[in-house]
Structure formats: structure tokens, C-alpha cells
Amino acid sequence: MRFADLVTFYDRLDATTKRLEMRAVLVELLDRLSPEELGEVLYLSQGLLRPEYEGVELGVADSLAGRALAEAAGRSEEEVTEAVRVSGDLGTTGESLLAPLRPHPPPLEVTEVYAGLLAIAKASGEGSQEAKVGALVALLRRAGPSESKYILRIVLGRLRLGVREMTILDALAQKYAGGTRAGREKVEAAFNVSSDLARVARLLATEGIEGLAKVRLEVGRPVRAMLAERSPDLADVLSRMDGRTALEYKYDGLRVQAHVREDGTTRLFSRRLEDLSGQFPELVRDLPRALPHRPVIVEGECVPIDPDTDEIRPFQDVSRRRGRKYDLERMQAEVPVCLFLFDVLLAPEGPLLDRSFPLRRARLAELLRPDERIRLAKQQVVASVDEAQAFFDESIAAGCEGVMAKSLAEGSTYRAGARGFWWIKYKREYTQGLADSIDGVVVGGFSGRGRRAGRYGALLLAVYNEAEDRFESFCKVGSGFDDVGLAELPTRLKPYELDSAPEDVMSGLTPDRWFRPSLVLEVRGAELSLSPIHRAAFGAIRPGAGLALRFPRFTGRYRDDKGPTDATTAAELLTLYRSQVKQPVRDAGGSAEA
Ligand code: AMP
């Protein structure tokens, strides 16, 4: 396929935020692709070159891309900078500066653009900057204006067509799996285990739905994480678990999926499947020692530990290590971490995803040689509310945020990428009569006044409605931001700015600026109430009313570990609302900003 043709599809995708329309455009696009092109196009359309977990970074700096554009357009770098200042986007600047020039023949093929971009991403070491600029100039010279716009956006890591994985899965299922529900489930299951859309697509295109049987768990390829439902009280937890369950401490840290190869080589993945290995070298070093029988894939929660007392410390301590490339040694000493393992997905004998949880947990205990740093998550099987309460209190006293109840039933397999009642979380906040913290997606910004003039004064947050695949507003939050945080907001949010309300966002409020749902942050509040202007779980409790968080306050915690669809869901908010009706809440005493 010519890249110019692909770009016409991008224009159509860019013009809509409706999932059904996107799916239709994608199906049409799939019809036009050869199996070889399929993978490349699916990666490119998500702004990627390889599956996310491989960490192939395209993000070329603006200055470098500007230099390449200047050279390709025969302009000075100053002219380009000035044009970008006016347009606000290097992509559209490229489009207009290159418009008067005729692209060099022959026209670009998708495969060539992909190869060029991969070369740019992979160039490293001495002279790599020149190599990147050179490769980019070569592409831009052969590209038409619209093609250049997209090439520049991809190169800068700012494509953002808004095509989510779930929409691509829909399109794949429609084209290759007969559009049936069972087919869609198989496609998603294959993706949940391989975490690689392009691989799934290629198998479907060449071997049909049967080909998906080839997708097996492999060391080095992260599995999408199994997720928990929540419950309002321990009696409810027990009744959902048929009176008996394994309770575990719910550690408040970072989820880590560790892949340890036979030779001991270890890679760590976050819940979003990013490679965390560089951030926790001590875990990479110690895991093979703790897991002598390999290969294995294990999961656990990484939490900061006080080296003097061995007590668990607040999550904020470990988040300070995120994204830090420097000072790693110092951080290791200052913020030592401990990994509490709670599951095993693959053992030397093979994948364990289909085994029940009790079998997996027993296998984990056999495989692990615990040490200071790598330990087993604390667990107790309970059969009464009293026992459960005692274990819960113990977990809070140990610095955890609550408990995770895990089903002991035969069907308690590892459900990659799925949220269900096989795991139920129950957190401390419920017992204090306060609403649990909520992970909200930023969908809008309101201009500030007074001291906040010229900045955002408050943000519009939404929860994710899984059933409808859309985002529903539940609060406007302005408290809890410090001056530095406020000053940073415009830059943080810039990449997601939109000119109009996205189709997949529902709110009765109109912010001064809409954002593509991307950034997730944690808020707390006094209670959930019914509101005519917010749209979370609209109509579920009372017609014409959604759920709203009263006195919301930003906790200071950006959930960079969560994507928009990992945020708190509308269904979870509803559970929270119902749980507080049973347990009347006290006012947290926050100030109303909304
Ligand atoms: P939440 O992020 O509130 O939805 O809670 C789910 C998260 O709790 C998981 O993704 C893990 O990161 C974390 N977690 C802490 N302790 C455990 C445990 N014992 N079992 C499973 N997940 C745990």
C-alpha cells in the first residue's frame, strides 16, 4: 500500500471519535492490506513501531525534527520554529511548508516509511543524531504534504488518532472472526496473552481464527494483568466467595510482572506492560537467585521498605523512582524496595494460566526461595467475617491499603486482562466511612482566575464506562494542586488538547478546553452524591442523575501506571455509591471547589 493511501484513512480516523465509525474505517483498511503490511500498519496507527512492551521509542525531540523539516523544505531552522510557534504543531507546519514542493519520486510505500522510522528509532550512539535527521529528511523529501504531517507526528510520538486497542480488536474480529461474540472473545484472549496486536492480526490474516491457538505464553512477552472487582464489606466478599476465600494483604505499590529466563536474564513489566527493568536493578539482580527453577513468570507488588525497621512505606516513595535514569544508586539506597509475589503464570513445566489459584499459589511457594527483597505475599484462608476482619486489621497495621480476596474455586484460573469477582479488593477507606480514592481521567480543563489566571484552575475528571466504552464525568477538581503542579499542568496536558468535545466523553459541563482521555490522576472526596450535571452511571440510581464526587481533592498522585481504560470504572463508582448508602459517610471537611 502507498503511504499516501494510508494517510487518507488516518484523516478519516482523526476526524471521528466514534468507536463504531472507527471500526468501520479500520475494517476497510484491513481489506486493503497484505499480511506483511498488516502488522506495520497496526503498530503505526497506534503511534508505535513494535509492541509497547519492547520499549522501542520513537519520540524524536522537536528540535531534531524541526531541523529535518527545515532541510527538507529548504528553509532556515528559525523559519520553522516561528511557523511552529504560530501553528502549535510541527505536523501541520510540515504540511504547509512542504506543500509548494513536489515530492521526489517514487511515491512512498507504507513498508518504506515503516523501515525509515524504525531506522530512526534504532539509531544510537555517536553520530546517531545526524543519522536520524538524515533518515527523516529522506522520508520527507519523498512525502506529499499530508504524508509529511503524519510522518512528523509519528516521529514526535504524537500521532494520537485515538484508536484504542479494543477498537482494533473489534475490527479484527469483524473481519476475520465472523463478527460473532465468541470470535471476538477468542481474538481478545489471544491479545491478552500475547500483548501484541500485530501478531494476533497476522495470525488471523494468514491462518484464520484457528491460527490463534499458536499464541502461547512466552517468557519475555508480558501478559495483560488480571484485575479485581471491589466490594463494600467483608460479609459481601465472603458471600461472593461461597463462604471461604484466601485473603491477601493488598500492598500499595507498583504491580510488577517478572519474566525470568532459564539463564536468569530478567525483565520486569508494569501493569501497562512497560519495561521497568531499568528502574529496579536490584530486583533484576535478585530475582534469579530467589527463583532457581526457571523459566518462570511471576507477579507481585513492589513496595518501598524502610531499611531500618523493615516497615512498608507510602507508595509515594517508590513513585519517586519512576522515570529516573540518574541517581539510581542513591535511590536504591534511599528507597529500597521489596517485591511481594502473589502469583505464578509460567513455571518450568509450562504455562499455569489454566490452573486454579490454589494450585498456582502452592506452586509459587515451592518455586520461591524468599529473601530480604523477594517475598511471598502474606495470605490466610478465612471462612468467617471475624477471621476476615482480624486479617484485614493486621494488614492495615502492616501498612497495606486493605485486602485482596481470591477465589479458591476450581474455575479460579488466571484471567489475563479481565476484571472479575475471582479477585475482590476491599480497602481501608470503606471502613472509615469515606469514599475510596478514585482514579479519574482528565477530559477537560477550566481556566483559572485570580492567582491561577493564565493556567488551569480546575480539571474535569471522568470514570471509564466499560460497557459503553466511553468516559463519564464525575467531578471538577481544583483542590490539592500545589503551585508547581499547577504550573506544570498545561505542558502535561498539551498533547491531549482537542478543539471540541470528544464523542466518547459524556458530561453536562463544558470546560474551556477538552482533552482526549489519557492522563489519569487520583482523587479523594467526602462522598458520592447524585448530580444532574455529571454523567457517571447516569440514570442507574435515579433518572436524570449521575454520580458526582463531593469536595474532590487531588492526592498528588498521577497514575502514570494506568491508561485511561484502567481508570476507575462507572460500575465501580456505583458499587462505591451503594456501599456508602449502607454506611453513612462523614464529611471529610474538604473545601468545595466545584
Ligand atoms: P487497584 O489498583 O485498586 O484496582 O487494585 C489492584 C491492584 O492491587 C493490583 O493491580 C496490584 O497492583 C495490587 N495488589 C496489591 N496486593 C495484591 C495482591 N496480594 N494480589 C493482587 N494484587 C495486589
Side-chain angles (χ1 to χ4, degrees):
M1 183 188 238
R2 293 250 165 102
F3 188 64
D5 293 331
L6 178 59
V7 154
T8 62
F9 283 95
Y10 283 178
D11 280 333
R12 290 167 61 193
L13 290 170
D14 203 25
T16 178
T17 45
K18 289 196 184 121
R19 182 167 168 178
L20 284 182
E21 263 173 41
M22 284 190 179
R23 183 176 78 190
V25 175
L26 286 171
V27 170
E28 215 182 295
L29 172 60
L30 291 175
D31 280 335
R32 303 267 307 268
L33 298 172
S34 68
E36 293 72 41
E37 290 165 333
L38 192 56
E40 295 176 355
V41 166
L42 287 186
Y43 290 136
L44 285 179
S45 310
Q46 296 177 87
L48 300 171
L49 289 176
R50 298 284 309 153
E52 200 142 17
Y53 64 82
E54 284 188 17
V56 175
E57 292 277 342
L58 248 176
V60 162
D62 284 67
S63 53
L64 211 68
R67 229 167 86 197
L69 174 57
E71 197 173 324
R75 305 290 186 106
S76 71
E77 281 180 53
E78 290 71 30
E79 280 174 282
V80 171
T81 315
E82 178 54 23
V84 173
R85 206 184 53 75
V86 176
S87 75
D89 168 35
L90 192 68
T92 32
T93 303
E95 187 175 23
S96 54
L97 289 187
L98 291 166
L101 307 175
R102 217 149 34 108
H104 294 190
L108 279 170
E109 292 289 320
V110 166
T111 319
E112 289 176 289
V113 174
Y114 180 83
L117 294 174
L118 198 59
I120 293 173
K122 295 227 156 137
S124 67
E126 211 179 316
S128 64
Q129 304 292 43
E130 292 318 308
K132 284 178 200 264
V133 173
L136 187 50
V137 171
L139 284 179
L140 292 176
R141 288 210 165 119
R142 286 180 53 199
S146 188
E147 291 167 88
S148 323
K149 175 174 82 183
Y150 285 107
I151 290 175
L152 285 166
R153 285 189 183 163
I154 297 176
V155 143
L156 292 167
R158 285 187 212 136
L159 180 65
R160 296 195 186 87
L161 294 173
V163 183
R164 275 195 286 281
E165 282 156 351
M166 289 303 136
T167 314
I168 298 183
L169 291 175
D170 286 345
L172 288 173
Q174 181 165 335
K175 169 137 174 76
Y176 299 111
T180 62
R181 203 189 164 126
R184 171 70 170 72
E185 278 169 12
K186 280 194 187 149
V187 173
E188 186 167 344
F191 172 59
N192 284 337
V193 170
S194 70
S195 303
D196 185 348
L197 271 176
R199 174 142 192 264
V200 173
R202 262 187 247 114
L203 279 171
L204 281 168
T206 49
E207 302 178 38
I209 189 108
E210 277 72 39
L212 295 184
K214 288 205 174 139
V215 174
R216 299 203 79 216
L217 189 55
E218 282 169 48
V219 191
R221 280 180 194 277
V223 179
R224 309 225 314 143
M226 175 164 176
L227 302 170
E229 283 286 352
R230 66 175 85 196
S231 169
D233 57 56
L234 289 168
D236 179 70
V237 171
L238 272 167
S239 77
R240 285 186 186 275
M241 296 289 190
D242 292 331
R244 198 165 161 272
T245 181
L247 285 189
E248 291 180 359
Y249 281 8
K250 185 174 189 305
Y251 301 92
D252 187 14
L254 274 185
R255 184 166 185 162
V256 169
Q257 195 178 92
H259 290 235
V260 188
R261 288 185 192 280
E262 213 159 347
D263 64 4
T265 322
T266 298
R267 283 177 74 193
L268 311 176
F269 298 101
S270 73
R271 170 172 164 160
R272 294 190 71 179
L273 313 184
E274 294 151 338
D275 195 323
L276 289 174
S277 318
Q279 249 172 77
F280 300 104
E282 67 271 51
L283 295 180
V284 170
R285 187 192 61 215
D286 291 353
L287 270 160
R289 223 181 309 162
L291 293 162
H293 304 287
R294 304 189 286 259
V296 284
I297 302 178
V298 289
E299 256 189 357
E301 189 86 352
C302 168
V303 291
I305 289 278
D306 186 322
D308 299 325
T309 61
D310 202 40
E311 281 168 328
I312 295 174
R313 311 227 330 197
F315 170 86
Q316 274 76 355
D317 288 6
V318 69
S319 67
R320 277 168 58 204
R321 283 174 60 150
R322 283 184 68 84
R324 283 201 182 225
K325 296 229 165 63
Y326 318 102
D327 294 342
L328 253 183
E329 301 238 323
R330 195 166 56 82
M331 295 302 280
Q332 276 183 59
E334 264 181 38
V335 190
V337 293
C338 193
L339 183 63
F340 288 95
L341 294 179
F342 52 73
D343 219 322
V344 56
L345 281 51
L346 177 117
E349 66 272 22
L352 301 180
L353 298 178
D354 292 334
R355 302 282 171 82
S356 70
F357 174 66
L359 288 177
R360 295 201 309 278
R361 171 78 188 200
R363 190 71 185 110
L364 176 62
E366 277 169 12
L367 289 168
L368 181 66
R369 306 271 169 280
D371 59 27
E372 284 271 283
R373 208 182 299 284
I374 321 282
R375 310 181 198 179
L376 205 53
K378 183 106 178 186
Q379 189 195 79
Q380 187 183 326
V381 174
V382 299
S384 73
V385 174
D386 286 350
E387 276 179 291
Q389 186 65 49
F391 186 78
F392 174 83
D393 294 343
E394 184 191 311
S395 126
I396 299 296
C400 294
E401 55 172 350
V403 288
M404 270 286 193
K406 299 194 175 171
S407 166
L408 298 167
E410 215 154 278
S412 58
T413 54
Y414 190 95
R415 289 175 164 73
R419 189 187 296 284
F421 280 99
W422 302 95
W423 286 10
I424 305 178
K425 56 189 173 186
Y426 173 66
K427 296 208 232 174
R428 174 171 51 174
E429 289 81 11
Y430 303 118
T431 64
Q432 295 175 334
L434 294 175
D436 186 6
S437 67
I438 296 169
D439 296 324
V441 187
V442 182
V443 296
F446 298 88
S447 310
R449 279 184 251 142
R451 273 190 356 116
R452 295 188 179 180
R455 300 174 175 178
Y456 290 116
L459 301 178
L460 183 62
L461 299 190
V463 286
Y464 177 55
N465 182 326
E466 283 179 305
E468 304 290 338
D469 188 31
R470 67 184 184 207
F471 298 87
E472 302 173 342
S473 79
F474 71 96
C475 78
K476 174 179 168 185
V477 60
S479 321
F481 295 92
D482 58 19
D483 282 349
V484 181
L486 273 179
E488 273 174 15
L489 270 182
T491 329
R492 250 184 204 273
L493 288 166
K494 177 109 190 124
Y496 316 118
E497 283 179 4
L498 291 175
D499 294 329
S500 57
E503 303 277 349
D504 57 351
V505 170
M506 306 284 136
S507 181
L509 282 177
T510 306
D512 297 307
R513 169 66 78 186
W514 290 101
F515 300 114
R516 201 182 277 294
S518 298
L519 187 68
V520 178
L521 49 81
E522 187 184 74
V523 287
R524 282 181 186 283
E527 67 171 320
L528 288 168
S529 57
L530 293 175
S531 150
I533 53 172
H534 287 296
R535 294 286 181 270
F538 200 69
I541 300 288
R542 194 197 298 148
L547 298 179
L549 183 68
R550 287 186 65 217
F551 305 124
R553 187 173 191 86
F554 175 43
T555 63
R557 183 163 166 184
Y558 285 101
R559 297 299 309 247
D560 294 330
D561 57 324
K562 292 194 171 182
T565 54
D566 303 318
T568 299
T569 62
E572 285 181 296
L573 213 59
L574 203 55
T575 312
L576 267 179
Y577 176 81
R578 293 197 166 119
S579 72
Q580 59 172 28
V581 175
K582 273 193 233 149
Q583 271 177 358
V585 292
R586 278 176 286 123
D587 197 297
S591 66
E593 288 271 351

